[in-house]
Amino acid sequence: MHLLRFLLLFPLLATLASGGEPKTAPSGAAAPSLVSLGLVDAHAHVFADSAQVFALLERLNMRFVNITVVDPYDKGYETVEPQQRAALAVARGAKGRASWVSTFDAAGWEQPGFARKVIAQLEASFRQGAVGVKIYKTIGMDLRAKDGRYVMPDDPAFSPILDAIAANGKTLYAHIAEPAGAWKAYDPSDPDSGYYRDNPLWWMYGKPGRPAKAAIIAARDRMIAQHPGLRIVGCHLGSNEEDVDEIAKRLDRFPNFAVDTAARATHLALQPREKVRAFMLKYQDRILYATDDGAQPGDDIGARVNYWQADIERHYKYFATGEPVEFMGRKVRGLELPETVVRKIFRGNVEKWVPGIVAH
Ligand SMILES: [Zn+2]
């Protein structure tokens, strides 16, 4: 431990001794404590109405945004209603520490009256407190038209729905496309390869006719451009997790676009530290801290809660301190972001980008 500390400090001391500015411009002050942040996990999935979950929220003095999502291949996520009921129950039990985001089943997108029905359903969810709407990677990767083509997020079928979300002042959470690993052969050094091996339905590699990632992202970008009045949170670093420069391009082009970090801290940590740190500083108003963790009925809730807490503690260490943090067996030095930036990423940004989240 002492040796590690010394090695970490040494480059900084050497720079200071030589009279130069330290390259990383550390904040100089101790990081704010995790509990003092009043952090908000902007993207989690909790459908277990459990005292253990509520105790975690109290223990870390945190809130979260509960994301419902229709995934026809994931047990418990196949339809809207049960998740919505569970999200409402969790919101009640969490006593001001859980907000929720509704969703719709995109499978009916070719049916007459689709947009009208979806809008009515979403507006009912807003009356029940939903602060936003999630759209999912089925659009672009899985759903096909009768003529065989894959439906893309900028399809006119979705446009009136997006307009209605904006008109209601709600936020769109867009999980469109996947990490590059989904389009590649299995590679144990890739942070996502294991997921695709275990979830081959989403493994695009070796499936001719599936849209390329670039084509889906391009359609997603057109969707953002077509709805400048809609606040959009790109889930999972907007699916440009491999390279912060690609995220930056979108943040530069689209003032209505922000990203969450759900399940993608590893992807940041694997990129060059100074590049990621500069990105975080430049876009400090557009990045929402999130985990993608949660607990479902039937899970070992204690284990899920411990996992969630460990994730948050590790990510806090990565963003807020200059200590070594382990990702995929590799130790990287934390970004040591200034306190003002840490507070925005862990709390302030989600309050701006997802207005209506419950105050605590
Ligand atoms: Zn998620």
Side-chain angles (χ1 to χ4, degrees), residues 241-309:
E241 52 274 276
E242 297 86 5
D243 186 353
V244 292
D245 288 343
E246 290 300 312
I247 310 169
K249 278 185 203 164
R250 275 77 188 184
L251 294 174
D252 287 341
R253 273 174 68 195
F254 307 122
N256 58 324
F257 189 56
V259 294
D260 78 32
T261 66
R264 298 296 184 268
T266 302
H267 300 70
L268 291 175
L270 295 179
Q271 292 175 56
R273 180 180 185 272
E274 289 309 313
K275 182 177 168 180
V276 173
R277 192 170 190 278
F279 167 81
M280 300 294 296
L281 291 175
K282 181 164 182 194
Y283 300 99
Q284 58 183 266
D285 298 303
R286 316 276 293 278
I287 301 159
L288 282 55
Y289 174 68
T291 62
D292 211 20
D293 291 338
Q296 318 313 328
D299 282 353
D300 176 345
I301 306 292
R304 299 300 302 160
V305 162
N306 289 341
Y307 186 91
W308 196 4
Q309 176 164 349

Side-chain angles (χ1 to χ4, degrees), residues 12-49:
L12 173 62
L13 292 174
T15 326
L16 289 172
S18 69
E21 276 288 307
K23 251 179 97 183
T24 56
S27 60
S33 79
L34 191 159
V35 169
S36 80
L37 295 177
L39 76 91
V40 180
D41 184 337
H43 176 158
H45 304 277
V46 179
F47 303 112
D49 178 6

Side-chain angles (χ1 to χ4, degrees), residues 100 102 119 121-133 164-165 168-171:
W100 69 287
S102 60
I119 291 167
Q121 178 225 312
L122 293 178
E123 288 183 339
S125 79
F126 300 151
R127 288 192 291 276
Q128 291 182 292
V131 294
V133 175
I165 297 167
N168 279 276
K170 306 300 177 190
T171 302

Side-chain angles (χ1 to χ4, degrees), residues 43-45 67 69 77 134 136 175 235-236 260 262-263 291-293:
H43 176 158
H45 304 277
I67 311 286
V69 54
Y77 293 93
K134 166 83 172 262
Y136 193 52
H175 174 180
C235 301
H236 314 298
D260 78 32
T291 62
D292 211 20
D293 291 338

Side-chain angles (χ1 to χ4, degrees), residues 74 76 93 194 230 261 331:
D74 200 350
L230 175 63
T261 66
K331 276 219 165 68

